[in-house]
Amino acid sequence: MLPIKTVTLCLLTAVGFSASAATDCEALDHKASENGIRIPGNMAIHKVVGHAKLQFYSAPDLACKLPGVFILPAESVIAYVTYGEFTAVMYVHPTTKEDTEGWVLGKRLKATGYGIAPKQ
């Protein structure tokens, strides 16, 4: 059996890693937004492809999952930036008009050829 001090230290270390993981997601989101490849406004509309829900992330890393935040196949999103295998998007709910922003796996998106801005 581990001494109480060891158990406490382990718990404090785990809490510290959780807090730093959130900070890392925030820093990665900022870095990816600044350094990613911009998607032209005239090509921004994408459709979700595949058969499963598409998970949202707070940053382009699987460790930055936003629990319970996802979109369904065939839904449309506005894509802004790609960074690695992720794409930053905004989803606007067709009924409520509420928007959700985050990162999704880019391989689950297909460009529609339409955008939110005229071709430059």
Side-chain angles (χ1 to χ4, degrees):
M1 186 164 170
L2 294 172
I4 292 178
K5 284 184 178 180
T6 303
V7 173
T8 303
L9 178 59
C10 289
L11 288 174
L12 289 174
T13 303
V15 170
F17 282 127
S18 293
S20 68
T23 303
D24 290 343
C25 290
E26 186 176 332
L28 178 56
D29 175 49
H30 180 73
K31 176 184 175 184
S33 296
E34 293 293 318
N35 299 318
I37 299 169
R38 300 264 175 244
I39 297 171
N42 66 312
M43 297 299 293
I45 306 297
H46 288 63
K47 284 247 188 229
V48 177
V49 296
H51 300 289
K53 298 173 184 176
L54 180 57
Q55 179 65 50
F56 267 77
Y57 299 85
S58 63
D61 189 299
L62 295 177
C64 300
K65 181 178 179 178
L66 293 170
V69 182
F70 58 85
I71 47 179
L72 301 173
E75 295 277 16
S76 293
V77 295
I78 301 167
Y80 298 105
V81 176
T82 61
Y83 187 84
E85 63 182 319
F86 287 84
T87 302
V89 300
M90 176 193 291
Y91 170 72
V92 180
H93 191 280
T95 305
T96 66
K97 304 300 183 207
E98 289 186 40
D99 63 84
T100 302
E101 294 184 63
W103 295 86
V104 297
L105 288 171
K107 66 183 177 185
R108 294 284 312 278
L109 300 177
K110 181 178 180 183
T112 65
Y114 296 101
I116 57 170
K119 189 173 184 177
Q120 297 179 357

